[in-house]
Amino acid sequence: MKLINLYLLFSLVILSSAFGQTKDNTTHEYRNEIYKFIVKIPGDWKLYGQIQNDTIQHRAIADWGLPLTHSELENADIENSISITAYKRTGVNSLAQLIEFDKKRASQATTFEAKGIDDNSRIINTTTNGLKYKGKSYYIFKNGIGYVVNFMATPGTYDKNIAMFERFYKSIKYE
């Protein structure tokens, strides 16, 4: 249940110190056969949570923590997050419905402001328990499944990890 609560808070995990992080240049494939997506994950990312098939909420979630990034602004080592949430549910039958559904879901958990960049992406600024976060989400609707690909960071780490998120997003394959 804690993992779902973390997701509802945009899956951001902040660590104030490094715990022996080492660089891992390997990759592995993450696959969800039910919600039909595949992505290659760097070996130094941590899988914090996954729900392969939530039959009540009609969704799947995969949530990764990135390697620690030092933020001068927050004066801490921060672990940003990237997640994929896939929905196959009544009422989410188009890209517009997916975006509206996700906006309602996210605004229940926190103060939330999203600015559209284009038809399928948003920059997110949010405050949770007095802490500010910045993120980016992409929305994809394909073969009856809605996908939300989300990156969350602090203001001091967003620019340092956004390129990594963009590469991740572009590498996802939807079957």
Side-chain angles (χ1 to χ4, degrees):
M1 196 52 84
K2 279 188 172 183
L3 292 174
I4 293 171
N5 289 336
L6 285 174
Y7 173 75
L8 292 174
L9 293 173
F10 292 102
S11 307
L12 185 64
V13 178
I14 299 177
L15 299 176
S16 58
S17 62
F19 295 103
Q21 291 268 330
T22 60
K23 183 71 174 158
D24 183 348
N25 292 326
T26 63
T27 62
H28 64 275
E29 185 175 273
Y30 182 88
R31 177 185 296 262
N32 185 304
E33 298 286 342
I34 298 165
Y35 285 84
K36 309 216 180 277
F37 65 90
I38 303 168
V39 65
K40 296 220 184 267
I41 304 298
D44 58 353
W45 291 20
K46 297 177 195 161
L47 179 63
Y48 275 105
Q50 67 177 328
I51 300 172
Q52 287 286 323
N53 186 21
D54 180 341
T55 57
I56 296 170
Q57 297 294 322
H58 305 283
R59 68 180 177 190
I61 302 171
D63 184 19
W64 296 274
L66 303 178
L68 294 174
T69 301
H70 185 73
S71 168
E72 292 79 21
L73 182 64
E74 288 95 11
N75 193 28
D77 292 326
I78 309 288
E79 183 178 34
N80 296 158
S81 72
I82 291 179
S83 63
I84 300 174
T85 305
Y87 296 100
K88 199 185 311 185
R89 61 188 301 150
T90 305
V92 179
N93 298 307
S94 68
L95 182 61
Q97 288 176 337
L98 174 65
I99 292 169
E100 188 59 31
F101 174 80
D102 191 60
K103 181 179 176 182
K104 286 179 186 174
R105 181 206 54 80
S107 65
Q108 292 173 4
T110 186
T111 304
F112 177 84
E113 173 195 329
K115 294 186 276 188
I117 299 171
D118 54 33
D119 289 344
N120 79 322
S121 63
R122 304 287 182 268
I123 295 291
I124 299 163
N125 291 293
T126 183
T127 303
T128 303
N129 299 326
L131 300 173
K132 294 184 179 190
Y133 303 104
K134 183 175 182 180
K136 185 172 184 181
S137 293
Y138 280 101
Y139 303 90
I140 301 92
F141 192 83
K142 187 171 182 158
N143 299 324
I145 301 172
Y147 302 92
V148 180
V149 183
N150 190 56
F151 166 63
M152 287 308 291
T154 63
T157 59
Y158 179 88
D159 289 338
K160 293 180 178 186
N161 284 325
I162 189 65
M164 187 182 325
F165 171 65
E166 295 294 345
R167 285 189 303 276
F168 172 85
Y169 169 71
K170 291 174 183 172
S171 76
I172 301 170
K173 292 182 176 45
Y174 307 96
E175 300 177 324

